[in-house]
Structures are given as C-alpha cells and as structure tokens.
C-alpha cells in the first residue's frame, strides 16, 4: 500500500511539474505576443502621428499661400485705387483750372 501511495505521489508530482512547465511556456508565449503587439501598436501609432503631422504641415502651407494671395490681391486693389484717386484729382484740377479761366 505504501508503494502504491508513493507511486501515486510520484505521478501527481510529475503531473504537477509537467503542468507547471506547460503553464510557464504558455505564459512566456503570451508575454512574447503581448510585447510584439505593443511594438506593432507603437509602430502604427508613430506612423499615424507622422501622417497627421504631414497633413498639418500641408494645411499650414496651404493657409500661408492663401493669406499671401489675399494680401497680394488687396495690395493690387489698393494700388489701383490710389492710381484712380490720383487720376481723379488731376481731372478735377484741370476742370477747376478751366472753370477759373472761363470766369476770368
């Protein structure tokens, strides 16, 4: 009976060691997969951030160009208006000079 108990105890001990070894292998495998997934997620996040940064830079450049075009357009219109003011002043001077000469 003692031999039987010892044999059962050895088999239980061996089974427990086998189960422990298998659980350690599974745990190691899960840890490896979690590390790999975390690395993949970080790579994906980094790529997404780079793409977003590029989009922001492109948008900023587009806004700068639009502002530059608007400023240039306003500048051109102001120059044209100034030239028109100068032309109108000269025309008014000529008309006033002609009117003075007509009165004298």
């Amino acid at each position: 009976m003692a031999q039987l108990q010892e044999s059962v105890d050895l088999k239980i001990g061996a089974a427990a060691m086998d189960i422990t070894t298998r659980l350690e292998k599974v745990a190691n495998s899960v840890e490896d997969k979690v590390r790999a997934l975390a690395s993949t997620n970080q790579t994906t996040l980094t790529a997404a951030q780079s793409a977003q940064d590029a989009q922001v830079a492109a948008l900023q450049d587009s806004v700068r160009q639009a502002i530059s075009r608007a400023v240039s357009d306003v500048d051109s219109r102001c120059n044209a208006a100034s030239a028109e003011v100068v032309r109108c002043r000269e025309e008014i001077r000529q008309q006033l000079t002609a009117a003075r000469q007509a009165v004298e």
Side-chain angles (χ1 to χ4, degrees), residues 43-84:
T43 300
T44 301
L45 180 61
T46 301
Q49 184 64 45
S50 294
Q52 186 179 29
D53 290 347
Q55 289 174 336
V56 167
L59 182 58
Q60 287 173 333
D61 187 51
S62 178
V63 168
R64 281 189 205 102
Q65 289 176 5
I67 289 171
S68 178
R69 285 191 301 270
V71 168
S72 179
D73 183 52
V74 167
D75 191 46
S76 294
R77 289 179 185 205
C78 286
N79 287 339
S82 292
E84 183 65 15

Side-chain angles (χ1 to χ4, degrees), residues 20-57:
T20 301
T21 302
R22 288 182 184 185
L23 286 175
E24 286 175 354
K25 286 181 182 178
V26 168
N28 289 338
S29 176
V30 168
E31 287 176 3
D32 290 345
K33 288 178 182 176
V34 167
R35 275 192 223 99
L37 183 59
S39 176
T40 299
N41 285 345
Q42 185 59 45
T43 300
T44 301
L45 180 61
T46 301
Q49 184 64 45
S50 294
Q52 186 179 29
D53 290 347
Q55 289 174 336
V56 167

Side-chain angles (χ1 to χ4, degrees), residues 1-10:
M1 183 77 165
Q3 251 185 342
L4 180 59
Q5 182 63 41
E6 188 178 323
S7 176
V8 168
D9 288 345
L10 286 174

